[in-house]
Amino acid sequence: IREFLARNEDLSFAGLTGKDSVGYSSLRMAMLDALASIGGQTGIDGLLDVLHTTALPAEIAQLAQHLDTLAPSQYRQELLDASRAVLAHAQSGELKDYDVGSLFQVLAKYGGADAVATFQTAGDKWKSYAAIALGNLPDGAGIPALLELARNSSGTTFAAAWPMVAERAATSDEARNALLDAARAGTVPASAWPDLARAL
């Protein structure tokens, strides 16, 4: 399994008649699950091999789930480093066909307040993912950066910042006051109101 994964090859099960019975989208995903089932240090070492070489966001998300089950919090830094590296590749345009949403989830879960700077940088390209991640950080750690992202969003560049501010307004005085001030000043983009109303 480790030799195959090291070659960075894959076999997609998409379109195959037996895909539903197989239960995996590709051979690599099945093998990652197999390593997790093997468990112990052997399984962990195999998962870490892939973590140190993969450039696929979905693989990092699956690796995070498996490693956290086998060794809770032990490989937190490795997961953060890998997620940041792949996100940097995506920002440079090297991963155009891949959804990076799972990277934001991993960074938010394991990075906490330390991930705020990463989300701020990535917010230029992925406003929705950044807004959701910032809004969901524990203890309101991402609220100031979320408000900055919302205030800098306008017109067609609006994503999920103001609705996320609205969601946090129930528990955060800072978010509530910022939302009220923006509404009174008329600076909330018109395109934001439908989603913002649903959030409220």
Side-chain angles (χ1 to χ4, degrees):
I1 291 173
R2 291 174 70 176
E3 287 176 3
F4 174 82
L5 291 171
R7 294 200 296 267
N8 285 320
E9 297 175 355
D10 202 3
L11 174 63
S12 175
F13 295 150
L16 297 181
T17 305
K19 179 187 174 185
D20 292 337
S21 61
V22 173
Y24 299 97
S25 60
S26 72
L27 183 57
R28 283 181 68 84
M29 289 299 189
M31 288 190 169
L32 292 179
D33 209 24
L35 285 173
S37 297
I38 290 168
Q41 197 58 48
T42 299
I44 290 173
D45 288 344
L47 294 170
L48 289 173
D49 285 347
V50 179
L51 181 64
H52 295 148
T53 58
T54 187
L56 302 180
E59 283 192 2
I60 290 181
Q62 188 171 0
L63 289 163
Q65 181 180 349
H66 290 325
L67 287 169
D68 203 34
T69 299
L70 295 172
S73 301
Q74 189 171 341
Y75 298 101
R76 172 179 171 272
Q77 192 58 53
E78 285 90 339
L79 290 166
L80 289 172
D81 291 343
S83 297
R84 288 190 178 105
V86 173
L87 191 60
H89 284 304
Q91 283 180 280
S92 66
E94 296 178 36
L95 299 174
K96 293 180 180 178
D97 298 326
Y98 294 95
D99 186 346
V100 298
S102 56
L103 297 177
F104 284 82
Q105 294 173 357
V106 172
L107 287 165
K109 180 175 181 179
Y110 299 102
D114 293 337
V116 169
T118 302
F119 295 148
Q120 286 178 300
T121 301
D124 291 338
K125 188 166 186 176
W126 298 288
K127 284 185 170 60
S128 292
Y129 287 144
I132 293 167
L134 288 167
N136 286 327
L137 288 178
D139 303 320
I143 296 297
L146 173 63
L147 295 177
E148 181 181 348
L149 180 64
R151 290 172 181 135
N152 291 332
S153 299
S154 61
T156 57
T157 65
F158 171 76
W162 281 114
M164 183 55 67
V165 172
E167 286 187 24
R168 294 296 162 259
T171 56
S172 167
D173 289 342
E174 187 176 8
R176 181 167 57 254
N177 292 336
L179 179 60
L180 289 171
D181 289 345
R184 291 179 182 127
T187 56
V188 176
S191 59
W193 280 106
D195 289 334
L196 193 153
R198 281 190 288 271
L200 290 172

